[in-house]
Amino acid sequence: MDYYAPRRRALRAVRQLLYPRECPFCGRVLGDVRDCPDCAEQLETLRRKPGIRLDPAQHYISNLAGAAAPYRYNGCVRRGILNAKYQGKPWRAVEMGNRLVQLAFGGELTVQYGELLPQPVPWAAIGYDLIVPVPASGKRRGYNVPERMAQPLAHALGLPLLPKALCRVRAGRHQAGLSLDERLANAAGAFRAQEPELVEGKRVLLVDDVITTGATAAACAQALLDAGAHSVFAVAMAVTENEMDAPSRASGR
């Protein structure tokens, strides 16, 4: 069922009476307040300006038409993403997906019945045909953070969200702490398009929570391109900015 279907929104509105909306970054109760005053200054310092596209000199974005992220992976942004991943708080991922709508696609955000809602920005979807989230690394969490982040994007852009378009064919090691070459080797061949006919000829918007080197996004893009996708552009909530050496750039998250 659509995350923004009237029935689901009504159920969430009832829940808000008992558990008012909180800031996804610090946990402060916000209710009908759109932006957290406690995090505003730090979020502004973590913004990537003036542009949010990734520099190929800092990230491995082979196979991708491009990639973008509005924040650096630090401070309250990092805490928010880690809480969404490991503290059983999927609603934080949805809230951060709303920020992606605002900062990556110029969408407006409003609060209705205690819920942050993205307003339609159909013009921003001109370059894409569908949205695909990066698959979860495991099933223990019970939900996929990139998929939850993608839900506001799909609603605002008016694009179909295909959460099962990609799957992991092998788990691999956790990417944290690995070198670029190790990340590339770890991610290579780790993903497969489950229904190639759904992505064939399509311009895909790939959604992830964090891009570190770009290895995961590049591996997902390769799987989609192998299935016949026309192009893949990646967007994430945050990025780790690293200077990469020339051999690594020519040779990845």
Side-chain angles (χ1 to χ4, degrees):
M1 182 185 294
D2 178 9
Y3 181 81
Y4 292 96
R7 177 180 173 82
R8 297 188 69 175
R9 285 193 57 199
L11 290 173
R12 290 197 297 273
V14 173
R15 183 184 181 279
Q16 294 289 352
L17 297 175
L18 299 175
Y19 305 101
R21 175 173 156 261
E22 298 176 356
C23 172
F25 305 108
C26 72
R28 171 176 172 162
V29 174
L30 297 179
D32 289 331
V33 177
R34 195 189 73 168
D35 301 313
C36 178
D38 292 345
C39 294
E41 183 176 352
Q42 185 174 169
L43 287 172
E44 189 61 23
T45 64
L46 292 173
R47 285 275 302 277
R48 301 178 63 244
K49 300 177 183 178
I52 66 171
R53 288 182 71 108
L54 272 59
D55 184 349
Q58 294 182 323
H59 298 90
Y60 181 81
I61 56 175
S62 176
N63 309 328
L64 292 162
Y71 288 110
R72 295 190 297 277
Y73 186 55
N74 208 339
C76 64
V77 172
R78 181 176 183 273
R79 288 195 300 272
I81 292 173
L82 291 177
N83 281 335
K85 281 185 169 184
Y86 303 117
Q87 299 299 320
K89 298 180 178 179
W91 58 267
R92 292 198 177 206
V94 177
E95 286 264 340
M96 287 185 276
N98 276 298
R99 303 299 174 181
L100 273 178
V101 171
Q102 180 185 39
L103 300 176
F105 295 95
E108 292 292 330
L109 303 177
T110 61
V111 180
Q112 297 180 19
Y113 303 107
E115 180 179 18
L116 191 63
L117 293 175
Q119 299 305 298
V121 280
W123 59 267
I126 292 175
Y128 313 104
D129 299 306
L130 51 86
I131 298 176
V132 174
V134 171
S137 57
K139 297 182 179 181
R140 291 195 310 172
R141 188 177 301 131
Y143 59 90
N144 182 17
V145 169
E147 179 184 345
R148 294 301 180 98
M149 286 186 174
Q151 288 168 333
L153 285 170
H155 179 73
L157 302 181
L159 293 174
L161 173 60
L162 276 61
K164 297 182 180 179
L166 278 176
C167 69
R168 290 182 182 265
V169 294
R170 57 179 177 79
R173 299 159 59 192
H174 285 294
Q175 295 281 60
L178 300 182
S179 68
L180 171 61
D181 290 339
E182 289 172 330
R183 286 171 181 264
L184 291 171
N186 192 43
F191 303 94
R192 176 175 58 82
Q194 296 195 93
E195 299 175 287
E197 67 277 6
L198 296 181
V199 301
E200 185 175 1
K202 304 298 185 182
R203 300 164 300 172
V204 179
L205 179 62
L206 180 72
V207 178
D208 203 357
D209 49 8
V210 182
I211 293 176
T212 302
T213 60
T216 297
C220 287
Q222 186 61 61
L224 291 166
L225 293 172
D226 288 345
H230 177 272
S231 60
V232 182
F233 188 95
V235 64
M237 181 66 178
V239 62
T240 300
E241 295 180 331
N242 301 300
E243 192 64 35
M244 290 164 34
D245 56 30
S248 292
R249 290 202 304 269
S251 29
R253 243 163 124 171

